[in-house]
């Protein structure tokens, strides 16, 4: 189950990504927003991120104008590694090396077709583990206020 959410600036792109998920046979849960009325991206970033952190959803995709605000919101939730990506290479590598459990997109930054390529790269790439797990564990240690050196 994929959590998906956006603010008012990204409604159209969210629909495109939902169609892509459906075409790939993937289930998603849409945490809003559902209209183009101006809203606050932290609300929707938090909803999707909390669903991922709790295990209700396996991974999440969040979208705002730049992707920055909603990724910041998601990353405030313990256990979330949300990567803002504007290219497929970064999307692939953030799965392979960072085990990013959430992806953020900027609807005012990238086009629909590029966004789809980014989502596909992110969905299709497994975490490599090994030395990268050591580093991801260090991110968790930072989150927990534990030493990393
Ligand atoms: C909304 O105008 C815009 O600020 C928001 O979508 C996002 O880009 C914030 O980071």
């Amino acid at each position: 189950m994929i959590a998906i959410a956006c603010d008012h600036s990204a409604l159209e792109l969210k629909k495109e990504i939902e169609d892509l998920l459906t075409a790939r046979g993937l289930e998603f849960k849409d945490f809003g927003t559902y209209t183009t009325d101006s809203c606050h991206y932290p609300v929707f970033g938090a909803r999707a991120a909390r669903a991922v952190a709790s295990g209700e959803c396996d991974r999440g995709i969040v979208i705002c104008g730049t992707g920055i605000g909603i990724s910041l919101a998601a990353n405030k939730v313990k256990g979330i590694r949300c990567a803002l990506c504007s290219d497929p290479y970064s999307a692939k590598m953030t799965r392979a090396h960072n085990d990013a459990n959430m992806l953020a997109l900027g609807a005012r930054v990238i086009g629909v077709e590029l966004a789809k390529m980014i989502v596909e790269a992110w969905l299709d790439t497994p975490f490599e583990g090994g030395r990268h797990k050591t580093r991801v564990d260090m991110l968790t240690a930072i989150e927990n206020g534990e030493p990393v050196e």
Side-chain angles (χ1 to χ4, degrees):
M1 180 69 70
I2 309 278
I4 190 162
C6 70
D7 74 359
H8 55 279
S9 70
L11 215 61
E12 279 183 32
L13 181 57
K14 183 175 71 174
K15 178 73 173 67
E16 295 279 353
I17 300 304
E18 289 178 348
D19 288 348
L20 172 68
L21 296 176
T22 300
R24 291 176 59 114
L26 295 171
E27 288 187 313
F28 61 84
K29 183 165 180 184
D30 187 340
F31 289 89
T33 188
Y34 308 111
T35 75
T36 53
D37 295 348
S38 183
C39 64
H40 303 307
Y41 58 81
V43 171
F44 303 97
R47 282 186 193 168
R50 286 174 175 157
V52 174
S54 72
E56 176 187 355
C57 293
D58 306 301
R59 293 205 220 166
I61 299 172
V62 287
I63 319 172
C64 69
T66 58
I68 297 171
I70 206 159
S71 64
L72 292 173
N75 278 315
K76 294 293 181 190
V77 176
K78 194 172 163 70
I80 295 302
R81 291 177 301 281
C82 181
L84 170 58
C85 295
S86 297
D87 66 275
Y89 176 77
S90 297
K92 178 182 161 86
M93 297 312 290
T94 200
R95 285 289 313 132
H97 288 190
N98 313 128
D99 198 17
N101 51 9
M102 294 189 70
L103 172 70
L105 301 168
R108 293 173 175 161
V109 179
I110 55 171
V112 172
E113 294 308 317
L114 180 55
K116 288 180 185 171
M117 291 174 72
I118 290 167
V119 170
E120 291 195 316
W122 183 75
L123 287 172
D124 291 343
T125 308
F127 180 46
E128 285 179 13
R131 70 184 186 282
H132 302 296
K133 180 174 184 321
T134 304
R135 296 163 186 166
V136 170
D137 287 346
M138 293 169 82
L139 297 177
T140 304
I142 294 170
E143 191 171 62
N144 292 332
E146 295 164 358
V148 287
E149 296 178 46

